[in-house]
């Protein structure tokens, strides 16, 4: 008798980010199975128990349990949020050496199970750790994805929505580049509803183009501001990871600014970085290469350079 195929997601890391992802996943009814793995097994078990107690209120049933790396063998998606968190005043790139060591062991353990699905990475510095995961796993580049600038783009849309008094879901704007200090806004392609950003600014005399730089700086530095106030960021990235998960498991062909491997796109090679990409059941189906203006090209190339220089000691 054939068993009905179910979507299994394995989450490695049950800290604040991982649990925010798990909670969001259950509330949106995205998968049929969710396995929690953590070096602290008791913590993972407790989280699984707690999440299961809310299942009567979920939109659809999800089988949740604390497991082991062996559960990755039949997983469709492994999401890694494990690793050391960013401390107040610490940049994402400063985490690179600490978390690279942790990641190499995690990926080795996952691959030893026979895993042949898709990796989704959230731990910082996410672009570099996604590259490490790709190298260590031996999987095709299309099936190793980083959360990239999906959250940054959401922060930008949120800020622009408030500024223009428009539903954030009708703001079409993106942050690309490193998920960090060298990221950049793609103002040349930003749309408010179906109008170009510049058109709206011209039409509304009380809105100033100079305010855009302030909006971007607040978006870029949002993590620092949140960490200073509450110690960590986790709800936003948790929901961002669920958005990517839905695009994968539902075969959506959605375009999201994930961390993807460049092989000639945007004139760059051998780097994972945040760019628009079409996401479906195969992973990254296509990198969307948009036309950047001269300033954006210069900023993007600088972002690549910083990432490559930071990666050198760990690859």
């Amino acid at each position: 008798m054939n068993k009905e195929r179910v979507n299994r997601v394995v989450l490695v890391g049950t800290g604040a980010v991982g649990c925010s992802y798990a909670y969001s996943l259950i509330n949106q009814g995205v998968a049929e199975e969710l396995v929690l793995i953590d070096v602290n097994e008791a913590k993972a078990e407790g989280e699984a128990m707690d999440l299961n107690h809310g299942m009567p209120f979920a939109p659809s049933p999800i089988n949740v349990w604390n497991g082991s790396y062996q559960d990755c063998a039949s997983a469709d998606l492994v999401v890694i949020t494990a690793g050391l968190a960013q401390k107040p005043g610490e940049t994402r790139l400063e985490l690179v050496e600490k978390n690279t060591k942790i990641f190499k062991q995690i990926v080795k353990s996952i691959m030893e199970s026979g895993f042949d699905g898709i990796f989704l990475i959230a731990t910082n510095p996410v672009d570099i750790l996604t590259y490490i995961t790709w190298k260590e796993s031996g999987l095709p580049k299309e099936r190793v994805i980083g959360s990239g600038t999906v959250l940054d783009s959401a922060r930008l849309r949120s800020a622009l929505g408030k500024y223009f008094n428009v539903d954030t879901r009708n703001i079409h704007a993106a942050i690309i580049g490193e998920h960090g200090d060298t990221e950049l806004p793609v103002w040349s392609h930003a749309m408010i509803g179906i109008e170009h950003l510049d058109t709206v600014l011209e039409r509304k005399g009380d809105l100033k183009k100079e305010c855009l730089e302030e909006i971007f700086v607040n978006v870029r530095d949002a993590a620092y501001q949140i960490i200073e106030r509450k110690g960590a960021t986790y709800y936003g990235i948790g929901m961002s990871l669920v958005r990517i998960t839905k695009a994968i498991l539902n075969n959506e062909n959605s375009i999201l600014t994930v961390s993807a491997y460049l092989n000639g796109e945007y004139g760059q090679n051998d780097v994972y970085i945040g760019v628009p990409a079409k996401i479906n059941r195969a992973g990254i189906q296509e990198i969307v290469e948009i036309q950047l203006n001269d300033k954006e090209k210069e900023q993007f190339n600088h972002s690549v350079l910083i990432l490559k220089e930071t990666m050198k000691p760990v690859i």
Side-chain angles (χ1 to χ4, degrees):
M1 183 176 175
N2 291 328
K3 184 183 176 184
E4 187 180 346
R5 185 77 179 91
V6 298
N7 287 315
R8 175 181 292 186
V9 175
V10 175
L11 170 66
V12 182
T14 58
V17 172
C19 289
S20 296
Y21 169 71
Y23 182 68
S24 233
L25 194 80
I26 288 168
N27 272 293
Q28 296 186 45
V30 177
E32 286 79 46
E33 294 182 344
L34 175 61
V35 186
L36 308 182
I37 299 175
D38 199 284
V39 65
N40 183 342
E41 293 182 19
K43 171 80 158 58
E45 184 177 16
E47 297 293 356
M49 292 167 65
D50 199 3
L51 289 166
N52 272 307
H53 294 162
M55 211 57 69
F57 312 115
S60 59
I62 299 177
N63 187 14
V64 183
W65 72 95
N66 63 301
S68 69
Y69 287 115
Q70 289 306 310
D71 291 301
C72 297
S74 54
D76 300 276
L77 178 68
V78 169
V79 180
I80 306 180
T81 63
L84 297 172
Q86 191 175 355
K87 296 176 182 176
E90 185 177 36
T91 70
R92 296 180 182 97
L93 293 180
E94 285 171 344
L95 287 171
V96 65
E97 290 189 19
K98 303 173 188 175
N99 280 336
T100 293
K101 291 176 184 175
I102 296 170
F103 254 64
K104 286 184 176 180
Q105 186 55 53
I106 289 172
V107 174
K108 182 174 182 286
S109 299
I110 291 168
M111 296 311 297
E112 285 175 351
S113 75
F115 173 66
D116 194 34
I118 294 172
F119 273 110
L120 175 56
I121 310 303
T123 309
N124 280 318
V126 67
D127 303 291
I128 294 172
L129 291 176
T130 305
Y131 186 96
I132 296 292
T133 301
W134 170 61
K135 278 290 190 182
E136 294 293 314
S137 69
L139 290 176
K141 64 184 186 300
E142 295 82 8
R143 288 200 274 132
V144 182
I145 307 169
S147 55
T149 51
V150 171
L151 174 57
D152 310 83
S153 296
R155 287 169 172 160
L156 180 64
R157 292 169 63 198
S158 175
L160 289 173
K162 287 179 182 177
Y163 186 69
F164 288 101
N165 194 28
V166 171
D167 184 344
T168 56
R169 292 169 299 180
N170 295 137
I171 304 292
H172 308 288
I175 299 281
I176 64 171
E178 172 213 351
H179 174 54
D181 296 341
T182 65
E183 65 188 32
L184 61 132
V186 189
W187 295 129
S188 63
H189 289 269
M191 304 285 287
I192 310 299
I194 59 172
E195 285 185 287
H196 194 278
L197 175 64
D198 288 341
T199 303
V200 177
L201 288 170
E202 288 172 13
R203 183 165 55 81
K204 292 180 174 287
D206 57 329
L207 302 177
K208 305 299 180 185
K209 194 165 187 176
E210 294 73 33
C211 294
L212 296 180
E213 182 59 24
E214 183 182 348
I215 287 172
F216 165 64
V217 170
N218 284 330
V219 167
R220 184 194 63 200
D221 297 342
Y224 298 127
Q225 295 168 11
I226 294 169
I227 290 167
E228 184 182 329
R229 288 163 174 77
K230 58 175 272 190
T233 74
Y234 36 88
Y235 298 131
I237 185 59
M239 293 177 74
S240 298
L241 291 169
V242 172
R243 179 68 195 92
I244 301 167
T245 299
K246 287 172 70 175
I248 294 168
L249 297 183
N250 296 337
N251 199 34
E252 288 182 353
N253 289 320
S254 290
I255 295 173
L256 300 166
T257 51
V258 295
S259 186
Y261 184 82
L262 299 188
N263 186 27
E265 297 89 355
Y266 293 94
Q268 298 292 341
N269 287 281
D270 198 33
V271 66
Y272 267 88
I273 195 165
V275 290
K278 189 189 292 185
I279 309 296
N280 60 22
R281 190 76 198 204
I284 295 175
Q285 196 267 328
E286 175 191 356
I287 290 174
V288 179
E289 195 167 1
I290 56 176
Q291 185 65 45
L292 303 177
N293 63 33
D294 290 342
K295 181 183 177 182
E296 291 162 351
K297 284 178 186 175
E298 184 181 333
Q299 289 176 304
F300 185 78
N301 291 339
H302 173 67
S303 195
V304 170
L305 181 65
I306 295 298
L307 276 175
K308 286 191 170 184
E309 286 180 353
T310 311
M311 284 171 59
K312 283 178 183 177
V314 295
I315 59 169

